């Protein structure tokens, strides 16, 4: 519904069949209908808003993939910094690498924020990796704020 997916084998040589449709309550169905209406009306979806688990998981995955591509996109540029013919061109390449790295960090932060909101929301039970759900306000080496 929220992602394009394909059937993959389970490692035993047989393809996975269609998954059973989960039974949802009337209250859950009303929330899904309200959520889809909000999307149809081009409304904003905020991290604290209720949303189907599949939607949140897909959103976090897409943001993470975008962040990965930003970080990987800066790697080839970094190799050319030492080979640049002038200081001006070195500065241009450094700015480009820094810009791509910054984009990646912003996107990682957004994915962490959405995942953290999922762990704080009582209506979802998305498994979130501990390093994503943990707050980054404490320095790991000193334990100080």
């Amino acid at each position: 519904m929220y992602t394009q997916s394909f059937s993959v084998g389970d490692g035993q040589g047989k393809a996975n069949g269609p998954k059973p449709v989960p039974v949802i309550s009337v209250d859950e169905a009303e929330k899904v209908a309200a959520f889809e209406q909000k999307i149809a009306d081009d409304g904003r979806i905020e991290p604290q808003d209720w949303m189907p688990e599949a939607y949140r998981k897909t959103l976090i995955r897409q943001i993470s993939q975008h962040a990965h591509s930003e970080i990987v996109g800066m790697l080839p540029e970094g190799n050319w910094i030492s080979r640049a013919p002038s200081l001006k061109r070195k500065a241009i390449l450094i700015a480009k690498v820094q810009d791509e790295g910054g984009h990646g960090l912003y996107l990682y932060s957004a994915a962490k924020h959405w995942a953290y909101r999922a762990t704080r929301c009582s209506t979802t039970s998305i498994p979130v990796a501990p390093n994503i759900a943990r707050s980054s306000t404490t320095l790991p080496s000193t334990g100080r704020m």
Side-chain angles (χ1 to χ4, degrees):
M1 173 177 354
Y2 298 109
T3 181
Q4 296 175 356
S5 60
F6 54 91
S7 180
V8 267
D10 61 357
Q12 303 296 327
K14 52 186 173 180
N16 294 334
K19 294 182 180 179
V21 177
V23 178
I24 59 174
S25 66
V26 174
D27 184 46
E28 184 93 6
E30 289 173 358
K31 287 180 180 179
V32 169
F35 178 77
E36 290 183 359
Q37 183 60 42
K38 190 173 187 179
I39 290 176
D41 294 340
D42 289 333
R44 288 186 87 136
I45 307 296
E46 298 292 334
Q48 66 271 13
D49 293 346
W50 182 91
M51 64 189 69
E53 289 183 30
Y55 184 89
R56 186 178 295 270
K57 286 172 72 173
T58 299
L59 183 66
I60 292 168
R61 182 184 56 79
Q62 288 175 341
I63 293 171
S64 297
Q65 286 177 335
H66 189 174
H68 298 329
S69 72
E70 292 286 346
I71 297 298
V72 170
M74 77 179 192
L75 297 176
E77 302 291 335
N79 293 334
W80 289 97
I81 294 172
S82 63
R83 300 179 189 140
S86 68
L87 191 56
K88 181 179 179 181
R89 290 198 180 174
K90 283 182 193 287
I92 290 169
L93 283 171
I94 289 171
K96 218 172 160 185
V97 167
Q98 186 178 12
D99 194 47
E100 293 295 316
H103 293 160
L105 289 176
Y106 277 128
L107 289 163
Y108 281 133
S109 177
K112 178 181 173 182
H113 183 69
W114 281 83
Y116 180 74
R117 289 292 184 181
T119 62
R120 304 283 294 184
C121 183
S122 62
T123 59
T124 79
S125 59
I126 299 172
V128 178
N131 62 341
I132 293 176
R134 185 176 51 227
S135 174
S136 63
T137 57
T138 305
L139 298 174
S141 59
T142 62
R144 291 182 284 159
M145 297 297 236

